[in-house]
Amino acid sequence: MKKNTQKDVKPPQTRFPQAHQGPQVRHDVEEVPPPTPEALLHSALSVTARLFPSHLGPSLTPLGSFRSPLTAPLGSFRHLSAPHQRRSALSGTSRLFSAPLGPSPGNGGRRGGAGPGRAMAPPPPPQPLPPGLSLGRTLGKEKFHKSQHWGFCNNVAMLVGEDKPGIGGEPLPGQKLKPKYSVFPAGMGSDAPAWVAFDKQALQILRPLEQTTEHLTYGGFFLALLSLQETMKAELQNQVLSFDAYVEEEVPDKNQELYRIRHCKIYFYLEDDTIQVIEPRVKNSGIVQGTIVRRHRIPLPPPNEDEYYTIHHFNINTEVIFYAQRYKITDCDQFTKNFLRKMGVRLNPPASRPDDPYTKERQKILDSMNPLRPYERIDTLKQFLEHDGHVLRFFCVWDDPESMFHDPRELVLHYYLSDDTIDMKEITPANSGRDAVPLFLRRDKLPKYAPTGLYQPGTITARTVLNVFGNLVGNRGRYILDNRKTGAVHQEFYRDSDLKIGEVINVWGRKILLCDCDEFTKDYYRTKYGIEDFTPVAYKTPPPPKPEKTFPPYTGFGSEEDSLCSCKGLLPKPPQKDFKKFLEKDRSGLESNILRFLAKFVMDSPVDKDRKFIICYFLSDDTISVYEYTQRNSGILGGKFLERGRIKKPGQELFKSEPSEYFKAQDLFVGARVCFHGHNFLLVDADEYTINYMEKHANEFSVADTGFILKKLKDIAEPRSREIRQVFAATDPEHTKVIAYEPFRNLIVSITDGAFSEHEIMTIGRYYGVKEEYETDLHLLLAVAQEQLKKNSFEDFGQLSAVFVYNDREKCGVLPYQMCRTICKSFKLPLADDLLEAVLTVFEDDNKQVEYKKFLDGLNWRENQIPAFQTIRLPLKNEDDWNGQPPSLPFKKIKYLPLLDDLFGKEE
């Protein structure tokens, strides 16, 4: 069956049941486009305006120069969506009257709605109100004030408010109110005020507003416009157009001038179209100047006095009339030009501004007039403003010949660049016997040839005057300033150009030698005068060498440090300890800062040679304690062997003046032989913490410095490189490229002839060793971690998970190892570093990425608690009670090929 190309049109549904409707018939009707939202809004507004004229009028007063929605084109409102039309302010009337306001998506075209194939019917006439129901005309009205139309003028009653509106501000019948704001251009574009329509900031606000009005009701749109008005007033509150103008004014009462040219400024305020005219003040003009026209809206000249000046009335080289006064606009500033160009105004070329003939004539007279009294101006303000706070400083010396001991006096000279004054201060050394005075010379200008005697008061003045008449006219005289300064006393003062290193200046009869200056003074002279030589003058005798202090030998009472303090002063003080070292090397968390070594006696006695000792070195204060390991059935009671304290090295003189040497951390290493108070010990092993600490601080321990050891081994074995390669190859007959640690140790000992200690050989073996990997018990590891978290009451797993998810930008469920460790550290996860690293390593994949979800689930003891594991409860022991068993080496085989390559280079 051939399909019908035209669309099916459903008949409008009625209120009757389906059984009472006629048969459904398909109608092939020509397709009619649905009504636009603008038409629907216009229809709704028309109905509401006829029903509530008194309510709709005041609420839709124009916003600025926005036209009323009933008369403005609907394109200025953009289109409103149908669902919001129904929720507009007109929804109240649609309940009372079934006026068809257009279809809506929700009702399917019922109750008068037009379907897709049905043309929209025109709105029906308003229906009468039901009996007993009437709506007041003042519904929603808020203003009921009455304008004052009648008044008195010169005691005569007359109509004074013919342009005023009626009750509540509504216009009277046939009355046309003046527009509140200017509209430009007229009849086209936006109806917004000029300060909105042609401002870039306003357009930036209007564009998103136009997009959002699709989802606003009419009331919401109106409120948005109100908000826009307040926003733009605040934005353009300080933006003013400035025009240069002049006015020609007649002067009928004076013969010297027939007219007068008065220059002025015209300011146009964009926020409210107000105008202000200001005339700049001219000195001795004789007329009142300043504000000519105060700021307000100025009406146009007749016959358009009911309108006001707007932006489009202003342009360059045009005339405007303010209250019968004609102003000629000659130019404007750059901001005004740019603003007018944005509005589309074609600017005229600037006009010339004429000069006032009378003012010009007066200026010629003043320029040609010689002053009766010579004017002398002494201006020091510029120098003060440029150099205020700039002071030149010289270090000088005065060799006083009249003093008893002829000792030089050290002085500091300050030259103030702001007013060319000088002051001097004396540097009084300690125990000099002189009184400390604040100033050697008070601040003032320093004359070069002083002292010259005392002058009478009035002899030295800033200005000199002449008596013109003398004694010819009685006792009266006529005095004028003397430019030649006849009879004036001239004094020459020191300036900055007179002060140089090596110069001798006269300070009121005292010869002062300038010896040195500071860096600011050097830069000043280098910049202004180009001086580069600032070699100081040596004026101080070199101090005598300090005698070396000799201390008496140690007496044996107390410690050496304590007895030495009694020789350094009259009041003995206790010896000072290295507190900084104590803070850095004291126990902190899992860092004990204690080096532990396993030792044994070096003696032939069969009873003592099997005794084992634990030597503990405390890095915080360089003290040593020795404990003996308890062995069953040995007949020797173990425990503390040597009290903690500093131990002197053997072979030193007991009673001597120099301080004794004590054992330091660098003297203890595996293979070292030490003597503690006559007991010889051999250090045979150390714990893992000690070895790791020494390797971490290899710059302090040469036996743990791999680079230093390899260089030392290279110097010994380089002449026999071929032989050594053959020996290592013979040790590995199966060519596995690795050998056991014991053969490797024996080879190093044979190569170095015993020059290497056991610790140095161990360091090389650890560097080139093959570490064995051990399988970690995940259950036990997580149980230990959960136990630590539970003891420290850590429960921020939700926030920790959120941070992990936030850092996973790709949402792949994995994060790098270092990032996971950083996040855990930022949350201060109460886990030891080695435990945290072990747990993170367990959840790593092949790409070294940590699956953080499984990691968090394993640590969450609240939700995924692992049953507590059985632990062996051991009695608490002292930290020094280490059993001294040699730790199992983390390596058993050594890769010798990389060692040979580092020593002799790669073999071809």
Side-chain angles (χ1 to χ4, degrees), residues 57-77:
S59 62
L60 298 180
T61 53
L63 173 64
S65 64
F66 285 101
R67 291 173 291 182
S68 174
L70 299 180
T71 59
L74 289 171
S76 61
F77 294 105

Side-chain angles (χ1 to χ4, degrees), residues 629-670:
Y629 178 66
T630 304
Q631 299 184 21
R632 300 178 67 180
N633 299 327
S634 62
I636 300 175
L637 183 64
K640 185 182 294 184
F641 181 82
L642 181 63
E643 187 71 28
R644 177 178 174 179
R646 299 176 66 189
I647 302 177
K648 296 181 181 180
K649 291 184 178 181
Q652 302 183 70
E653 185 181 354
L654 180 59
F655 303 104
K656 63 183 188 311
S657 301
E658 295 80 12
S660 301
E661 294 185 7
Y662 293 87
F663 277 102
K664 297 184 178 180
Q666 291 77 10
D667 300 325
L668 304 180
F669 52 87
V670 179

Side-chain angles (χ1 to χ4, degrees), residues 771-812:
K771 295 184 180 180
E772 297 182 359
E773 297 181 358
Y774 301 94
E775 295 184 359
T776 306
D777 188 356
L778 179 60
H779 188 275
L780 178 62
L781 199 62
L782 293 179
V784 173
Q786 287 189 4
E787 187 70 17
Q788 293 294 328
L789 295 176
K790 188 175 181 180
K791 286 182 179 179
N792 292 274
S793 301
F794 183 84
E795 299 179 357
D796 297 338
F797 296 103
Q799 190 174 359
L800 182 61
S801 176
V803 175
F804 273 104
V805 174
Y806 173 78
N807 285 274
D808 187 10
R809 302 302 174 88
E810 300 179 358
K811 307 302 179 184
C812 55

Side-chain angles (χ1 to χ4, degrees), residues 415 420 422 446-448 492-495 498-499 505-506:
Y415 184 89
D420 300 325
I422 294 175
L446 180 63
K448 288 186 178 181
E492 190 174 356
F493 299 95
Y494 277 104
R495 304 296 299 271
D498 302 323
L499 304 179
I505 62 175
N506 176 26

